[in-house]
Amino acid sequence: MPLIPVVPENHSHVLAEFDCLDPLLSALRLDSGRLKCTCLAVSRKWLALGTSAGGLHLIQKEGWKQRLILTHKEGSIAQVACCPHDEDFIVVATSQGLVVVWELQLERRGRPERVGVSWEHRGQAITALCWDTSALRVFVGDTGGKVSFLRAGSSKMGKGSSFVIFPVQTVTTVDSRVVQLGYQDGRLLISSLSRCYLCDTEREKFWRVGNKERDGEYGACFFPQNRGLLVGQPPLLYSARPGSRIWEASFNGEVLSTHQFKQPLACPPLPLITYRDEPQHYNPVPKSPQSIAFQKLLYFGDQNLLTWTDSAIYIFTPQNGQVLLWTEVKDLVDIAVYRNELFCLHGSGRLSHLSLLSAERCVERLLRRESWPLAALVCCMFQHTITTSRARKAIPIDRLEHLRSQLSSSTHLELSSQLEDVITKLEPLDSASSSRRSSISSHESFNVLDCGIYRVISRRGSQSDEETSSLINQSMSEEERLKEFSFVQDDDPVDPDPQSSERVEAERSEQGLPFHLPLSFRPKPPRIALQAVKDSVSSFVKKTTEKINTLQMNSELWQRPEFRDSGHSEMSASASYSEEMDNEVYDELPNSEADMQELRSATERAISQIQDPLVLLDPVCLGETLQDWLAVLERILGPVEHRPAAAGDSNVDEAGKERWDYLNSCSEQQEESLFSSGEPTESIAEEKREASRELEEKEDQCDSTEKKPDVSNGSPPDPVRVESPKPVPSDLLANLTQLATLYTEMSCFRNQENRVLGCTTFLRPYFFLLDHERVRRMCLLCYQDQPEVQSCFMEAMLGLTQSSKVVEVIQRGDLLRSLRSLRELQPWSAPPLLAHLHRLYQKHGEAAVRSFTQFYPTITPADVMTMAQQSHFLAYLDNLVQSQTEEHRLSFLQSLLEPESLRQDWLELALTHDAPQRCDTLSSDGQPRWHSHCFSWGYGRLLSLLIRLPADLSSKQKMAETCRSHGYWTGYIYLCCELRCRKEAFATICRLDDISLMEEADGVVPQTLEEWKLLIQLSQQCSSAVDSEQVTGVNGSSLSNGSADCGGKISPENLTLMLARTAGPDRAMAVLEECGVQLVLSPHSKLVCELLRVTEKRQRAMIQTMLERCDRFLWSQHA
């Protein structure tokens, strides 16, 4: 048996077949060639099977027992549907167009009764049935496009209740055959061959879902949002489109987005887990992209969509645009679903019962049925799911061990060995116990009791021995503890990574505390406290000795005998200095308590100075105060390798003064020895200058490498420190946080020429002191265009949140579960949530960004803008705005504009993504092309809101020019009217040659006769250019991007008719004469003018009569 391929981690569910329905069909005689099953429906209790002989079999799902058979003489059963809110009712449609509602009366042990009959669709094939979700009403659709409903009475309500007035009514007749019906909360969804319609059955209103037509069988369904945070939200609706696309629309029929599944369906299919055939293996070879017509869409399981073709079943998670799975199933005709169950009708009349399960639940059920090879196969294919700690609830380790023992060593040898590899990777029951178990296993032996408690057996030399050693260390004298380290330079090995030594000592200290409990009676071992001192003193002695050698190791001096004679005195001087340095090291070893006290006093002094208004309101004084405080902070809590540089950066500290004094004394001793030997002064001065230059160059190089760790020698930047290197009291930590955050916000960095470098240089070593929320706001306000600062902040937050359980869920690649885990973290804090969303975006891209709207206002558009690509940010912004009610969208979008300049940036962004080509909307001379406003813009709704936002004159002018340069003509015309540039608006309308731009509710209509004259003249000038453009076919067939029916032409005749309706036909003809337009009206236009004249006369006569009657009435009252 070959090695079983492993399924990718983004697949966690599988379709499985556990039950065989062939004996049931055989008992019903439905397996013969004469009698076949034609349709099916399913509910919680029933499986309904319609037959070609007109019979309806009701099968009780529990035990698969037949309870009833309902006969019909009006033809074979074409459709059947169970009532979702009362299982005592079922509706049947026959091939002759009869619709019957049956009341089963099983609870009262009565005979089934026909409580509703409709012949409204006689002679038509009924294609869809749909129940009302709250009433006994059934909607019916047929091949002619007719949709009606049938009300059913019920004998449950007593006598007379079964009588219904107008039981059958026609709802509407659509343009083509009805493919699918859906009903939810008073709305009826009708999917035909060409369009999808939405009907409010209470108010009798209709909408079209989207503007583009289609040609073929495409389904549609409602998608309830009744889980988690979506409870109470109106349902969505999904409508299939050509090319494996699905529209997502609101409950009002407004299309929100288009989901593309052509490329995601290029993934390999998952095998069907079934008992019928030999176990199928997963084939990892990818398929070609699939362009499929989804003939029906069904709401399925936990927020999923199901569809099928004759050869495969597809299950999507539309809220994140992902394919949950797709599986090849042969010869499919129809599918009925209930929760996570599927009942499939095949072309041969065979039935199959499938279930959608997670991999671990599938294995659990297979183990219960003792299907050992099949269970082992699923375990090996879905290793990433089976090995997780969550799966231990369904599949304990002992059950998997039992499964391995049940596999035959002769026939399943390779399967058994592969299962054994899976068992070695198993995680404990949960992540918390996983961390405890790994910690315990590294230090103690343990066993787990039945109640779940870990019984720990301490090993020899573990915790108790560590406590003993720590107590012995406490009793040691100071000198004995210092002798553990060798501070002599020759014996001190060079540690290239000081942090690694800290980690080693930390690991040594933690061996006695496997559970990391903060015990107050156990002080920190002295090695940890002295490790930083050792590193700093070693580096200090090393640098000092290098500078001494720079002055002493001169080849010319060593060749002279005079210098050799004086060498003894110099060596004695250096030896005396080394003794002094050793004494200083042993005398001035910093005590952690003394350091904390010094830091506390410096912090309190800085806070008291800042409380002085003269200091607080003076940036220079405030910066000096913070710089003085920073010097103490760097010396105590700064990185070990940066502490000498940090101290030396604020001019010169005491150690630096002593070092320079010593170097000057050494040089003076060299001068004196050379003077005594008779050496010329010029050479002495020259050598001294060379030595000083070399020393200065080394100092500059040291400073530059410390200030720019990421660019000096190509080495990566220092890691961000998210934990304090020393324990800091909580009250002191709060004050340090305030000062450090204020220092960052005020940008009091030493490197004022490069604020970005100064900010990142401070953020990396001292992030553990900063207020995360204030740093996040600072990055958005001050460093929005500086990716270095943003990446530094994000790196720190990713490190802080690395231990969260949500990270494990995100790494598995399931977007829906990741979002659910994030919702469970409420109440949210913006910085950690931002880190998790960053991981989601890196994992899923645009699909993740579209779902970030549910985290507003914790996560703002500014946060997403710094994280996502521009095209992905546009999708997020569009979803965020559309999530608001229509009347609040404009004000909501206005509230997001901080600063106001974002309006122009977002406008240009929306005009350059998912937009028509400029050559299709603009001519070579920059004029509008004919009917180019009919092109669809991907973010048209967002664009219409952006141009309607309140703005000053200059901003609106800039927006108008931007719309013109990109060919967004509807927006340009609107802005021209706002700017009172009506001449430009009329000229654009004439070039576009679409009179609907004037006739619509928000159209541009001339307000004076002068404007009418101008419009008629412009139309006469543009008519020739437009005609030539139409003849030559400038746009070609590119108008397929939008609607081809964009209204009538703008001609002098049409404008005259519009003016005649406004000012009267006589006035309109006079305006034409004034413009010098010779126009011969068509017979239709002449008839319209005559009718307008007659209407005008009748209106005048009626007004005259009403005025006379009012006058007589008033005189009569006066008398």
Side-chain angles (χ1 to χ4, degrees), residues 11-18 270-273 315 324-325 327 340 342 354-363 366 378 381-382:
H11 292 297
S12 59
H13 287 70
V14 69
L15 282 177
E17 183 179 14
F18 301 106
L270 292 183
L272 176 66
I273 307 301
I315 301 176
L324 183 65
L325 63 87
T327 299
N340 66 331
L342 296 85
L354 309 182
S355 299
L356 176 67
L357 298 171
S358 61
E360 61 268 21
R361 293 297 178 188
C362 178
V363 173
L366 290 172
V378 177
M381 283 196 301
F382 291 88

Side-chain angles (χ1 to χ4, degrees), residues 612-652:
D612 185 0
L614 297 178
V615 177
L616 183 62
L617 300 178
D618 187 355
V620 177
C621 295
L622 181 60
E624 292 176 353
T625 302
L626 292 175
Q627 288 285 359
D628 295 340
W629 165 80
L630 181 65
V632 181
L633 177 69
E634 287 178 331
R635 185 163 51 83
I636 297 174
L637 292 181
V640 175
E641 63 272 18
H642 288 181
R643 287 177 191 172
D649 200 3
S650 58
N651 295 332
V652 183

Side-chain angles (χ1 to χ4, degrees), residues 989-1054:
I989 292 174
C990 292
R991 293 287 302 182
L992 295 173
D993 194 21
D994 185 4
I995 204 168
S996 65
L997 295 173
M998 302 173 60
E999 292 178 341
E1000 292 177 351
D1002 55 348
V1004 184
V1005 181
Q1007 297 176 352
T1008 62
L1009 289 178
E1010 295 299 326
E1011 288 186 353
W1012 280 106
K1013 294 178 184 178
L1014 174 64
L1015 183 59
I1016 293 173
Q1017 292 173 354
L1018 289 173
S1019 67
Q1020 197 171 14
Q1021 295 172 5
C1022 296
S1023 59
S1024 58
V1026 169
D1027 291 340
S1028 63
E1029 188 172 329
Q1030 285 182 266
V1031 171
T1032 56
V1034 176
N1035 286 350
S1037 60
S1038 59
L1039 276 177
S1040 61
N1041 185 29
S1043 174
D1045 185 14
C1046 295
K1049 296 182 178 180
I1050 291 184
S1051 62
E1053 183 175 357
N1054 290 338

Side-chain angles (χ1 to χ4, degrees), residues 22 25-33 35-36:
D22 293 343
L25 296 180
S26 178
L28 298 177
R29 307 283 181 89
L30 293 179
D31 56 349
S32 62
L35 194 62
K36 288 188 177 181

Side-chain angles (χ1 to χ4, degrees), residues 224-231 299 301-303 820 823:
Q225 302 188 83
N226 53 3
R227 300 182 67 87
L229 296 177
L230 301 177
V231 174
Y299 177 73
D302 184 12
Q303 302 286 297
R820 188 180 305 134
R823 288 194 292 267

Side-chain angles (χ1 to χ4, degrees), residues 626-730:
L626 292 175
Q627 288 285 359
D628 295 340
W629 165 80
L630 181 65
V632 181
L633 177 69
E634 287 178 331
R635 185 163 51 83
I636 297 174
L637 292 181
V640 175
E641 63 272 18
H642 288 181
R643 287 177 191 172
D649 200 3
S650 58
N651 295 332
V652 183
D653 60 353
E654 295 179 359
K657 289 180 181 179
E658 293 176 359
R659 181 175 58 183
W660 280 105
D661 293 343
Y662 169 71
L663 294 176
N664 291 333
S665 65
C666 288
S667 61
E668 289 173 1
Q669 291 178 6
Q670 290 178 0
E671 263 187 68
E672 292 175 359
S673 61
L674 292 174
F675 277 136
S676 62
S677 61
E679 193 70 25
T681 58
E682 291 82 6
S683 61
I684 298 174
E686 184 178 356
E687 291 169 0
K688 184 176 180 181
R689 283 194 298 269
E690 290 179 358
S692 62
R693 280 197 300 269
E694 293 178 2
L695 187 60
E696 288 176 359
E697 290 174 0
K698 288 191 176 183
E699 287 289 339
D700 294 339
Q701 291 176 2
C702 182
D703 292 341
S704 64
T705 55
E706 289 172 351
K707 291 180 181 178
K708 300 181 181 180
D710 54 339
V711 296
S712 60
N713 54 0
S715 61
D718 295 336
V720 181
R721 297 200 305 171
V722 296
E723 294 182 357
S724 176
K726 299 180 181 180
V728 181
S730 58

Side-chain angles (χ1 to χ4, degrees), residues 309-312 329-334 344-350:
T309 62
D310 59 351
S311 59
V329 181
K330 297 179 181 178
D331 199 19
L332 283 174
V333 175
D334 196 9
C344 304
L345 175 63
H346 299 266
S348 60
R350 181 174 62 87

Side-chain angles (χ1 to χ4, degrees), residues 1093-1109:
R1093 289 190 181 95
V1094 173
T1095 304
E1096 186 179 1
K1097 289 180 182 179
R1098 290 178 63 87
Q1099 287 179 347
R1100 288 179 180 176
M1102 186 179 298
I1103 293 172
Q1104 183 67 25
T1105 302
M1106 292 177 63
L1107 289 175
E1108 290 176 355
R1109 289 180 179 178

